[in-house]
Amino acid sequence: MKRILFVVTYFDCGGTCRALQNILNIINPEEFQIDVFGFVESGMYEKGLFKNCHIIPECKALSYLFQRYSSTTGLNRYAAAFSKIVNRLSKNKYNNWLLRRIANKIVSKGDYDLVVAFSEGIVTTFLSYVEHPNKVAWIHCDYASNHQLAGCTNEVSIYSSYKSIVCVSEFTKTSFVRIYPTLKDKTYSIYNVLDDNMMKTQSKMALPNDISFDPEYFNIVSIGRLDPVKRMSIIPTIANHLVNKGDKIRWLVIGPKGGTDKEYAELTDGIRKFNLGEHVLYLGMQSNPYPFIKNADLLVNTSISEACPYVINEAKILGTPIVCTDFGSAKEFIDSGSTGLISPIDDMAETIHQYINNAEIRNHIKDNLNGFKYDNESIIEQFKLLSK
């Protein structure tokens, strides 16, 4: 039996943890013994997020250093603040010392066949301090875009310490290799695993009591965190265009706030500005998004960039048509005019309007989605090769 360690930053409902959740749901527990370590065991799902694995208890010192301020209360908030002050006064030496110490302690105890940094940034740095013959760095974002937005320094030395680098789409791989061409020979693309049976089962569950899909409306849903890269704040502008065109829409926006309140404020301000209270509803985070996707007439993705867009693939599995922006990997996952529509953001309102009012296009896309099957088998086989 192969032993694998996955490391993530937070146990939350973000794309990285959903990706790991799907791997754990599908992988054969008789073939793999999997440990999961999270810097911070907090969030909507916490330890209940994962099955078929062993959760390594969090290190409190590490947790205090990386906890989000908004998620701490009482003494934990003081401890977290103190850790951050110590790190700042040490000019990041405390952070580096702690990462190195904990990473080596965890890996040395496990006798692992494969060690995976399952998210970019600090987790990749964390495992770069470890000597191991089979380390994998997993990239879930459009690295070039994320690298620029985050103002990252050159990370070639960090990624050079890994045997393999996995990107979740061909576009993401190309984007990464363009920045670090010397790492081309160790960089691969493997799509995200998706537990389609779980999604279909959960999509049949009831919606929360205070939420329903009114057949009098054309029901649209958008799902994702309120973060600038997801660009959800533009939804009121698009919705206002549709309403002015005479389209009777109801647009449900689902997802947690991002790192700041700016995107949330712009979304809610836009709803008030255009008097869209009847047409655009922000529902916050929902623990089960699948009934919303399944029952919607259309899923709309407004992102600036995506690597392997979870919600788009989920919509395809559940048979819901998609309109998305023309981000770099869009053509890998949407055959425009067949399984959905790809549109520049400036044309998105008109694209949605045309879709709503053209039964031929709607029926054509729905018919094509009825036969869609996600290929988990080949993805799992690629994953197994990494552990050899």
Side-chain angles (χ1 to χ4, degrees):
M1 181 181 288
K2 299 286 187 181
R3 293 203 66 195
I4 302 176
L5 171 68
F6 283 95
V7 181
V8 296
T9 315
Y10 303 102
F11 285 5
D12 60 14
C13 52
T16 299
C17 281
R18 286 165 68 197
L20 182 53
Q21 180 187 33
N22 278 275
I23 289 175
L24 294 171
N25 285 352
I26 288 178
I27 208 159
N28 186 351
E30 294 182 359
E31 289 186 69
F32 297 94
Q33 180 180 333
I34 296 178
D35 290 350
V36 176
F37 177 70
F39 284 18
V40 181
E41 293 181 3
S42 64
M44 177 173 285
Y45 298 124
E46 296 187 354
K47 294 182 182 181
L49 175 66
F50 304 127
K51 67 179 185 180
N52 297 329
C53 70
H54 167 249
I55 303 294
I56 298 173
E58 72 177 8
C59 166
K60 284 297 183 183
L62 203 61
S63 176
Y64 289 145
L65 195 55
F66 291 98
Q67 276 181 337
R68 299 183 179 105
Y69 182 78
S70 60
S71 67
T72 58
T73 57
L75 293 176
N76 282 340
R77 177 166 289 187
Y78 288 108
F82 180 74
S83 293
K84 290 174 174 61
I85 291 169
V86 169
N87 187 52
R88 191 177 299 117
L89 292 174
S90 71
K91 297 182 179 179
N92 220 35
K93 289 180 181 178
Y94 173 66
N95 175 47
N96 295 337
W97 170 82
L98 187 62
L99 291 173
R100 185 185 300 273
R101 179 175 176 272
I102 301 304
N104 280 281
K105 181 180 178 181
I106 289 171
V107 173
S108 64
K109 287 183 176 181
D111 191 26
Y112 296 110
D113 297 285
L114 178 65
V115 174
V116 182
F118 205 59
S119 61
E120 312 80 13
I122 195 63
V123 168
T124 307
T125 301
F126 177 74
L127 286 180
S128 72
Y129 290 124
V130 174
E131 293 292 334
H132 189 278
N134 196 13
K135 289 192 304 183
V136 176
W138 219 283
I139 296 175
H140 299 268
C141 67
D142 173 354
Y143 186 84
S145 176
N146 189 68
H147 190 270
Q148 184 177 14
L149 287 171
C152 295
T153 56
N154 190 304
E155 294 181 311
V156 68
S157 62
I158 291 172
Y159 282 101
S160 294
S161 73
Y162 286 82
K163 179 184 177 183
S164 305
I165 301 159
V166 172
C167 300
V168 294
S169 66
E170 281 294 328
F171 171 79
T172 306
K173 174 186 170 183
T174 301
S175 171
F176 180 82
V177 169
R178 188 181 298 119
I179 296 175
Y180 302 132
T182 59
L183 303 178
K184 179 180 179 180
D185 292 342
K186 62 166 70 178
T187 305
Y188 309 90
S189 67
I190 301 178
Y191 288 165
N192 287 325
V193 173
L194 288 171
D195 186 351
D196 47 353
N197 290 327
M198 176 272 291
M199 291 174 194
K200 290 174 182 177
T201 298
Q202 292 196 6
S203 73
K204 298 173 184 177
M205 294 180 179
L207 293 164
N209 290 333
D210 58 338
I211 301 169
S212 63
F213 281 88
D214 190 334
E216 294 295 317
Y217 290 88
F218 185 88
N219 291 285
I220 303 171
V221 65
S222 290
I223 299 177
R225 69 187 182 278
L226 297 190
D227 185 272
V229 75
K230 301 296 184 184
R231 200 163 39 187
M232 306 282 247
S233 59
I234 203 169
I235 287 174
T237 301
I238 298 172
N240 185 57
H241 178 94
L242 295 173
V243 171
N244 289 339
K245 283 267 193 177
D247 296 323
K248 192 173 183 181
I249 63 161
R250 177 157 288 162
W251 197 326
L252 304 182
V253 182
I254 297 169
K257 295 180 184 178
T260 70
D261 287 338
K262 184 175 184 290
E263 196 74 4
Y264 169 76
E266 290 182 1
L267 172 68
T268 52
D269 287 349
I271 293 171
R272 285 192 294 269
K273 174 184 175 182
F274 295 117
N275 194 26
L276 293 170
E278 177 188 346
H279 301 282
V280 180
L281 306 176
Y282 173 58
L283 304 182
M285 189 63 223
Q286 299 293 320
S287 60
N288 180 11
Y290 303 116
F292 293 94
I293 299 173
K294 178 67 176 177
N295 289 288
D297 298 304
L298 183 68
L299 181 134
V300 173
N301 181 293
T302 56
S303 293
I304 295 171
S305 71
E306 292 278 0
C308 181
Y310 249 96
V311 72
I312 285 177
N313 286 318
E314 289 167 343
K316 287 162 66 180
I317 288 170
L318 296 175
T320 302
I322 302 126
V323 171
C324 72
T325 47
D326 53 350
F327 50 81
S329 66
K331 291 181 180 179
E332 277 188 69
F333 303 100
I334 291 289
D335 182 0
S336 194
S338 179
T339 55
L341 298 171
I342 299 173
S343 170
I345 191 66
D346 292 341
D347 300 334
M348 182 166 273
E350 189 59 29
T351 299
I352 296 172
H353 173 70
Q354 293 297 330
Y355 177 83
I356 292 172
N357 293 281
N358 190 321
E360 184 178 351
I361 292 176
R362 293 200 310 273
N363 292 332
H364 176 67
I365 290 175
K366 287 178 182 178
D367 288 344
N368 288 330
L369 288 172
N370 282 337
F372 177 78
K373 186 178 187 307
Y374 198 77
D375 186 13
N376 280 311
E377 290 78 10
S378 64
I379 298 171
I380 289 294
E381 288 305 312
Q382 289 175 286
F383 173 78
K384 288 178 180 179
L385 292 174
L386 294 173
S387 63
K388 292 184 178 180

